[in-house]
Amino acid sequence: MQDIQKQVGATVRVWRLKRKMSQDIFAERAGLHRAHVGEIERGEANVTLQTLKIIADTLEIRVAALVKNI
């Protein structure tokens, strides 16, 4: 399970950096706490489908792009 969380977190980080957003800006736009974004990107948080959808919408990608390599 933790490997999946790390893979999703790493993918979120890659997309966030592609969009040239800091964690603070990303968290604000997504309506998430910055600390939670950090936990997600480090693979420490088990992300719900609802949060994945929020993340994908904020990054302007599909949820599938966040989980395609799992």
Side-chain angles (χ1 to χ4, degrees), residues 4 7-12 15 19 26 40 47-70:
I4 292 171
Q7 290 173 344
V8 170
T11 303
V12 170
W15 278 103
R19 298 294 189 251
F26 175 75
I40 292 168
V47 184
T48 65
L49 289 173
Q50 183 175 358
T51 302
L52 275 180
K53 176 72 170 129
I54 290 167
I55 289 169
D57 288 349
T58 304
L59 295 170
E60 299 179 341
I61 59 174
R62 299 177 63 112
V63 171
L66 296 172
V67 295
K68 74 176 186 176
N69 293 325
I70 297 173

Side-chain angles (χ1 to χ4, degrees), residues 12-62:
V12 170
R13 178 178 285 139
V14 166
W15 278 103
R16 176 179 61 77
L17 293 174
K18 281 183 183 181
R19 298 294 189 251
K20 297 183 182 351
M21 282 189 258
S22 67
Q23 277 188 350
D24 289 327
I25 296 297
F26 175 75
E28 183 179 317
R29 290 181 184 175
L32 302 171
H33 194 280
R34 196 217 52 83
H36 187 52
V37 171
E39 291 170 348
I40 292 168
E41 290 187 356
R42 290 188 303 274
E44 297 171 356
N46 193 11
V47 184
T48 65
L49 289 173
Q50 183 175 358
T51 302
L52 275 180
K53 176 72 170 129
I54 290 167
I55 289 169
D57 288 349
T58 304
L59 295 170
E60 299 179 341
I61 59 174
R62 299 177 63 112

